[in-house]
Amino acid sequence: MTTKYKFLKPYTFKNGVTVKNRIVIPPMTEAAALENGAISRDELRYFDIHTGGAGMFIAPTMNVSTDGKGFEGEPSVADDKFIPGLTKLAHTMKQDGTKAILQIFHAGRMSNSKILRGTQPVSASAVAALRPNAETPRELTEDEIEQIIKDFGEATRRAIQAGFDGIELHGANTYLMQQFFSPHSNRRTDKWGGSFENRTRFALEIIKSVHQAVEKYADEKFIVGYRISPEEIEEPGIRLDDTLKFIDLLAEQPINYLHISMGYAWRTSLNDKSDTEPIILKIKQVVNNRLPIISVGSIEKPADAEKIMDAGIDFAAIGRESIREPNWVQKVELGQENSINYTLSETELDSLGINSAFLDFLYDLHADLHWVDQDQPKDHFDKELGGVEGN
């Protein structure tokens, strides 16, 4: 086995958990759960095919509350009835030493009444997202906010009982945790909105709730991660200065890693075109080795992942490429890089475990998956604006 790449070396978290390498499969929506949110056989087959190589595999995001569902075919962790299916999923993902991480979220205003079967979506404030056909959400009451915070803790308990190695809090991609932090979606004047301290309160209380669940229910060391989007283009919206200040705060919380959600790992500011320093390096400087960082975004070839390592970033996540090539890590380990598949053909979909629901989801996103045997190439998309690796 070759060890010429830094990303093949193991990593040990400060809580003592060791992962076998620095490659992560990020959470990618496959829209293949049963209608009620239960794990389907198709999902289990997909994960069985795609796991085993990466050090960590983060499952597609799952809602912690029934009104937190964001899209059709989304799995749920909002009720104990889902634990048997989640147990099968955790067991399936934990092949060959891969750590299974369950991402949990609440979609907030990024849902709609059709997906919620007639229920109005909720958010920090009654402000619609600046997206086509976005519905105006209902502002959450303080009691409802407290309940959602508890729901995240309960979801963590279920993940522990199902046998997952960790959870990832989805504080990115414009979902509810980000909505509370954003001055665009959060116009509240109570303790949950307004100042920087108030806009970060929701996330910090969720971290506290999750930590309490880990302390109470996890017999072994359990990983807690946090995913964050650095910027918004809305006005008012999240800007880098606020994000770096927030990350400085997150680095002191009882979490084990920070996952930076971007469509391109080396992206610079969306709002300040004169700033040419990659955002990931700004974040690295603020974190200052207090937490390991996962970088994602158009990382496809071994050289792409190694470039992340060379910059002192701890983990490289391969998303779309892991769909095309489930054995990416194994082939690199065996020195078979020339056999890595960088294209996707419709003739390979079944062997890759991609069912028609997942395929429809990819088509709807116009994902740039480097298709071959296609009459029309798929357009490039930015995962930060909603895409495969953005969940």
Side-chain angles (χ1 to χ4, degrees), residues 49-54 96 326-336:
I49 292 169
H50 289 261
T51 197
D96 297 327
N327 297 310
W328 191 95
V329 173
Q330 294 91 326
K331 288 182 176 181
V332 175
E333 287 177 334
L334 293 171
Q336 298 174 358

Side-chain angles (χ1 to χ4, degrees), residues 341-374:
N341 191 5
Y342 294 106
T343 59
L344 179 63
S345 167
E346 284 193 346
T347 63
E348 301 169 335
L349 297 178
D350 184 64
S351 65
L352 292 172
I354 299 174
N355 70 5
S356 60
F358 192 4
L359 184 61
D360 286 346
F361 190 79
L362 296 178
Y363 277 160
D364 288 343
L365 291 168
H366 305 292
D368 177 15
L369 287 161
H370 302 325
W371 290 79
V372 296
D373 299 341
Q374 295 290 302

Side-chain angles (χ1 to χ4, degrees), residues 73-220:
E74 177 183 293
S76 177
V77 66
D79 192 282
D80 284 359
K81 69 181 180 181
F82 298 120
I83 292 178
L86 293 169
T87 301
K88 291 179 182 178
L89 178 60
H91 177 75
T92 300
M93 293 173 71
K94 292 166 68 170
Q95 293 180 33
D96 297 327
T98 293
K99 298 296 184 185
I101 310 296
L102 178 56
Q103 191 189 65
I104 56 178
F105 91 140
H106 189 297
R109 72 178 186 178
M110 298 309 293
S111 188
N112 59 60
S113 55
K114 181 179 180 182
I115 290 170
L116 297 177
R117 306 296 187 263
T119 299
Q120 184 182 8
V122 296
S123 186
S125 299
V127 179
L130 298 182
R131 306 287 173 90
N133 305 313
E135 294 182 17
T136 300
R138 177 177 62 79
E139 179 173 302
L140 287 161
T141 67
E142 286 209 44
D143 286 346
E144 288 172 327
I145 292 170
E146 295 286 357
Q147 182 59 52
I148 291 172
I149 292 168
K150 292 177 183 176
D151 290 345
F152 273 92
E154 284 292 278
T156 302
R157 170 184 62 80
R158 296 181 187 111
I160 293 167
Q161 292 175 345
F164 283 91
D165 298 299
I167 61 101
E168 179 176 279
L169 292 170
H170 198 353
N173 299 81
T174 73
Y175 294 125
L176 187 63
M177 292 183 73
Q178 181 174 329
Q179 288 164 33
F180 267 87
F181 183 53
S182 170
H184 184 272
S185 43
N186 188 347
R187 313 290 176 93
R188 302 177 73 98
T189 56
D190 59 6
K191 71 176 184 177
W192 302 102
S195 67
F196 171 85
E197 288 72 23
N198 286 353
R199 288 186 288 111
T200 59
R201 190 184 307 277
F202 184 64
L204 297 181
E205 288 298 315
I206 286 174
I207 292 173
K208 189 182 300 182
S209 176
V210 164
H211 182 65
Q212 289 170 350
V214 171
E215 291 282 290
K216 184 174 182 180
Y217 297 105
D219 293 330
E220 299 179 355

